[in-house]
Amino acid sequence: MQRTAFILACFFVCVKCFTQAGQPTSNHNFTHINVQNGLVQNIVYHFLEDSRGYMWFGTHNGLTMHDGTRAMNFLHNPEVKTSIAGTFITSILEDSSQQIWIGNESGIDRFNRSSLSFTHFGVDREDGTKENTYCVALGFISPAELWFLDTKTKAIRSMNTGSGKTKFLASFNTSHALLYKSAQEIHLWSAYDKGTIHQVYKHNKLVKEETFFNGKNKTRAEPELVVIHVLQQNDSTVWLSTNKGLVKLNPLLNQYEVFNSWQGQTVRELRYTVISGKNELWAATGPDGIYLFDIKSKQFINNFRSNEFDPSAICSNNIVSLYLDRMENLWCGSFGSGISYTNTQSSFFTSHISKEETSGWKSNNHVTLLGSDLQGSFWCTFQNMVGIGLLDKNLKVRKYQTPVTESGTPYDQAIYKLLFETNDEAWMATNKGLFLVNLKTNKMRAVPYPLITEEVQGSIWIKDMIRLNDGSVLFSTYAGLYHMKNTAGNPDIKTINLLKPGVYNGFGKLAQDKNGLLFVKSLSDFIYVLRPAPDPKRFELIRSIDFLPEVNQFFNYPIDSLMYIASDDGIYSINTNTLMLKKETFDDRIPFKNINSFFRKDERFWLFGEKGLYCYDKKQNRGRTFT
């Protein structure tokens, strides 16, 4: 029952957020980092997760190190020799000694962790001088040997990381390159040009060079493509991000395939690709966000785009770089809108009931749960719409109907809750009293009970309704608390008189624990605790607890004998053995105070509010917000 409650709470609180995204069938929610929350600049081309878990972001105007909470920025200062030598970051790498190396427009810098400073390395020239020039660090061939591209001389060079001495290896006519290291060979690929140059090295010697897709090869019928990024998966599979789509190239057989269509749209202007652990390829584009490509089926299967109305969408449609860290988080660098990231392995949420599904009813998709039937299907209402909807176990809308009253007219008043007696019949709590509705025939009939007051907000307006451990029903109203036993089809409804005459007797949320104690929130400032009296027709008041906040939900956690209270002032709990009240404390990162609903499983606490869902792991003493 509690598991079902959690699923329902996740769905009904979060459905609005996850059905307004610009990308169809999206179940990845992106978090944003930009200059407003610490990033040094919003054009991000390079990423690195170092061995200590820090994230490094390379921009066109400096370097940012992020520890998950705070950012530290590094900029060139001509008056400080130990500052980073350049601000146009071209690459970020880490060596086997956990040292960070940064390529930039002035050469290559090594970060010194202890002093938060940098050591600069220039390029050796034939006349014995060092020159500060635009360099792209490519990769470490050995612990002490770094290969880099010297763009001024269009050459591949190596650097001894101990001495800083550099030497020429081979010419490479490009301004950007990428390195792939196999067991026996080093592969280099050029990028940001027409076609791509492929170089193969063995024992630091260039042994092979060929060009693909430059439009000049007479022996191969290849199109002319602008290649922006090259990802070598293995010796026989290379993925090219091009201006005309995604290209799969087998360089050994000189065979290729082009993929450039998704749902009738042209996939264009690819900028970057990475492979996740699910045999999925993430492809960034300039105009259309990120595509997800299934390697096995060779098809694009999703598209993620920016949406100004959805804070969980990617930060921009112009994505220029991607990075997959050790936790399978996908980091997306944009041209001008900072960074967005999401986890590719653990998609907690899936969208259901989009606006398109409810637009035919001239309604929105704001859902309120009424209850679940004996088969586990859910019944709900939609805001601004009269009637009851049926959702199956997969949360698909099966039907929507308006119950018909005994006079034959459609029922057009509020419906708050359903409690099922049989597969087809349920007690229905409304603002016009109690009804028994047959969902199969769609007919309802009024169930009379003694009214303490007939005012509009009086005994006829039902606030909450629960089924007790013995199968009977308890419901609360603006004026009075009622207990119902269904005897041979004839409901027997009695008032529960627990307060002295003259005391306000309006009641709201209800709950019962496993031992039979009842918890009743008054519409004034008390929680009343009742227990069944020896007389089966009576209940006795055993405790009145002062409680000013509004109660949104009770949640019983029987393992600890706690009754949790989700309120507009946070989470409280009542020990059902001692009846002591206390306010629960988690951490100071909960982004909302008004808790709409609450769920606990083991040591994880799930809090739902107006700013999303907050999960607190008590064992790890850490929390996370899902928006």
Side-chain angles (χ1 to χ4, degrees):
M1 182 65 184
Q2 290 181 354
R3 176 178 173 81
T4 302
F6 173 59
I7 295 171
L8 290 172
C10 281
F11 168 63
F12 288 105
V13 173
C14 299
V15 63
K16 178 181 176 182
C17 295
F18 297 110
T19 54
Q20 291 179 342
Q23 57 271 11
T25 64
S26 166
N27 57 358
H28 292 282
N29 304 289
F30 293 84
T31 301
H32 299 175
I33 299 176
N34 49 41
V35 293
Q36 282 73 34
N37 51 19
L39 191 64
V40 67
Q41 200 229 17
N42 278 337
I43 301 176
V44 183
Y45 271 90
H46 305 285
F47 296 92
L48 173 74
E49 180 191 20
D50 69 20
S51 55
R52 302 187 182 190
Y54 294 112
M55 287 299 303
W56 295 80
F57 310 132
T59 78
H60 280 187
N61 189 38
L63 181 71
T64 297
M65 180 180 69
H66 204 286
D67 66 0
T69 303
R70 294 163 297 179
M72 180 177 292
N73 296 322
F74 302 98
L75 293 168
H76 173 63
N77 185 342
E79 297 181 359
V80 180
K81 291 184 179 181
T82 57
S83 71
I84 191 169
T87 56
F88 194 101
I89 308 302
T90 65
S91 48
I92 313 172
L93 300 173
E94 184 178 26
D95 64 19
S96 59
S97 299
Q98 302 180 357
Q99 297 184 105
I100 306 299
W101 298 79
I102 301 100
N104 55 70
E105 80 275 18
S106 297
I108 297 175
D109 286 64
R110 183 182 65 210
F111 178 65
N112 307 309
R113 293 184 187 271
S114 59
S115 59
L116 301 180
S117 62
F118 295 85
T119 301
H120 181 64
F121 299 89
V123 180
D124 289 296
R125 298 306 186 200
E126 292 182 357
D127 61 2
T129 63
K130 290 272 191 181
E131 183 176 7
N132 295 328
T133 187
Y134 191 111
C135 293
V136 180
L138 300 176
F140 290 93
I141 306 306
S142 68
E145 185 178 5
L146 170 65
W147 282 21
F148 66 96
L149 172 66
D150 171 9
T151 61
K152 181 177 181 178
T153 62
K154 299 292 180 72
I156 299 298
R157 299 180 184 272
S158 68
M159 173 192 291
N160 184 295
T161 58
S163 65
K165 184 174 178 58
T166 67
K167 66 178 182 180
F168 173 85
L169 293 178
S171 297
F172 200 24
N173 188 24
T174 185
S175 59
H176 193 77
L178 301 114
L179 181 147
Y180 170 78
K181 185 179 179 181
S182 68
Q184 302 294 328
E185 299 173 330
I186 304 298
H187 297 259
L188 297 180
W189 298 86
S190 70
Y192 289 97
D193 207 346
K194 290 182 179 180
T196 180
I197 304 168
H198 177 214
Q199 290 187 343
V200 182
Y201 292 78
K202 287 186 177 180
H203 307 298
N204 288 20
K205 300 290 184 181
L206 178 64
V207 297
K208 183 181 180 180
E209 180 174 305
E210 55 189 340
T211 303
F212 297 93
F213 305 109
N214 67 349
K216 299 178 181 180
N217 195 311
K218 304 301 181 181
T219 61
R220 295 194 299 260
E222 294 175 347
E224 180 180 283
L225 300 173
V226 176
V227 178
I228 304 300
H229 180 259
V230 181
L231 170 65
Q232 186 162 348
Q233 184 177 357
N234 50 51
D235 288 342
S236 61
T237 303
V238 179
W239 300 95
L240 310 180
S241 300
T242 79
N243 62 322
K244 295 182 179 179
L246 178 66
V247 176
K248 181 182 181 182
L249 171 67
N250 185 328
L252 302 179
L253 302 178
N254 291 326
Q255 296 175 345
Y256 70 92
E257 297 175 86
V258 180
F259 308 99
N260 58 8
S261 178
W262 180 76
Q263 293 189 354
Q265 303 175 16
T266 300
V267 177
R268 54 188 177 146
E269 303 299 333
L270 267 64
R271 298 285 187 264
Y272 213 102
T273 52
V274 294
I275 295 177
S276 71
K278 298 178 180 178
N279 282 320
E280 292 175 336
L281 194 77
W282 299 80
T285 74
D288 301 317
I290 300 173
Y291 287 93
L292 186 58
F293 183 81
D294 185 87
I295 294 175
K296 291 183 178 179
S297 65
K298 297 182 179 180
Q299 292 181 339
F300 289 100
I301 58 175
N302 211 338
N303 181 219
F304 301 86
R305 300 197 185 192
S306 177
N307 183 342
E308 61 178 326
F309 300 109
D310 183 5
S312 299
I314 59 173
C315 59
S316 169
N317 286 332
N318 190 351
I319 302 298
V320 294
S321 59
L322 298 173
Y323 180 80
L324 205 66
D325 67 21
R326 291 189 296 272
M327 297 299 294
E328 296 287 324
N329 292 308
L330 178 73
W331 296 81
C332 315
S334 75
F335 191 87
S337 299
I339 295 166
S340 46
Y341 64 94
T342 187
N343 189 273
T344 63
Q345 297 295 307
S346 53
S347 301
F348 290 93
F349 303 99
T350 302
S351 300
H352 296 279
I353 310 182
S354 66
K355 284 189 173 181
E356 288 74 17
E357 290 181 79
T358 58
S359 61
W361 302 327
K362 297 181 180 180
S363 177
N364 55 37
N365 61 342
H366 301 181
V367 184
T368 301
L369 173 66
L370 297 178
S372 58
D373 60 25
L374 304 184
Q375 283 79 36
S377 297
F378 306 128
W379 293 83
C380 66
T381 59
F382 291 94
Q383 192 180 62
N384 302 328
M385 204 171 142
V386 176
I388 304 173
L390 170 63
L391 313 179
D392 63 17
K393 294 179 181 179
N394 296 317
L395 301 179
K396 299 295 183 182
V397 180
R398 291 308 177 200
K399 63 180 179 179
Y400 204 87
Q401 60 195 50
T402 302
V404 177
T405 66
E406 293 165 287
S407 64
T409 59
Y411 181 77
D412 60 357
Q413 296 296 311
I415 302 172
Y416 297 120
K417 205 159 188 180
L418 292 175
L419 283 181
F420 278 80
E421 279 290 321
T422 67
N423 291 336
D424 300 321
E425 286 193 324
W427 302 106
M428 186 166 72
T430 78
N431 64 330
K432 293 297 181 180
L434 180 66
F435 295 86
L436 187 64
V437 60
N438 188 306
L439 279 308
K440 187 174 183 180
T441 65
N442 202 33
K443 293 182 179 180
M444 55 186 287
R445 66 177 178 87
V447 180
Y449 54 91
L451 300 180
I452 298 173
T453 172
E454 296 185 16
E455 295 177 357
V456 174
Q457 288 189 326
S459 304
I460 198 170
W461 192 316
I462 299 177
K463 294 285 291 178
D464 196 11
M465 179 170 59
I466 62 171
R467 189 175 299 280
L468 302 183
N469 299 342
D470 63 2
S472 61
V473 173
L474 187 74
F475 63 92
S476 60
T477 73
Y478 274 104
L481 186 65
Y482 292 87
H483 183 226
M484 177 176 65
K485 289 188 175 181
N486 188 19
T487 306
N490 297 313
D492 178 23
I493 304 176
K494 304 290 186 183
T495 58
I496 299 177
N497 298 311
L498 58 100
L499 303 178
K500 296 179 180 179
V503 177
Y504 180 59
N505 62 348
F507 302 98
K509 293 296 181 181
L510 307 169
Q512 186 178 37
D513 70 7
K514 62 180 180 179
N515 296 319
L517 288 182
L518 294 173
F519 296 82
V520 179
K521 176 62 173 73
S522 74
L523 298 182
S524 57
D525 302 335
F526 291 96
I527 294 175
Y528 297 114
V529 183
L530 290 72
R531 66 184 174 198
D535 180 350
K537 295 182 180 181
R538 296 184 62 249
F539 295 85
E540 59 183 16
L541 177 64
I542 62 172
R543 183 69 60 88
S544 297
I545 301 174
D546 287 310
F547 194 77
L548 179 62
E550 182 71 21
V551 173
N552 296 319
Q553 179 207 4
F554 287 108
F555 178 84
N556 186 211
Y557 192 65
I559 296 176
D560 285 349
S561 298
L562 294 177
M563 180 65 71
Y564 287 98
I565 305 168
S567 79
D568 60 1
D569 185 44
I571 297 292
Y572 290 78
S573 68
I574 300 174
N575 186 304
T576 58
N577 294 322
T578 64
L579 299 183
M580 297 298 294
L581 173 75
K582 76 168 185 176
K583 187 168 185 179
E584 296 289 334
T585 56
F586 301 106
D587 58 22
D588 57 2
R589 297 178 61 189
I590 300 175
F592 44 82
K593 185 177 182 181
N594 185 4
I595 312 299
N596 295 327
S597 55
F598 171 85
F599 181 83
R600 177 181 176 183
K601 181 173 176 60
D602 300 326
E603 294 302 304
R604 288 192 174 184
F605 300 77
W606 300 82
L607 289 71
F608 302 80
E610 72 276 8
K611 294 184 179 180
L613 166 64
Y614 188 80
C615 179
Y616 174 71
D617 189 322
K618 185 176 182 180
K619 187 175 182 179
Q620 301 292 331
N621 191 28
R622 63 186 182 188
R624 176 180 178 184
T625 301
F626 300 91
T627 61

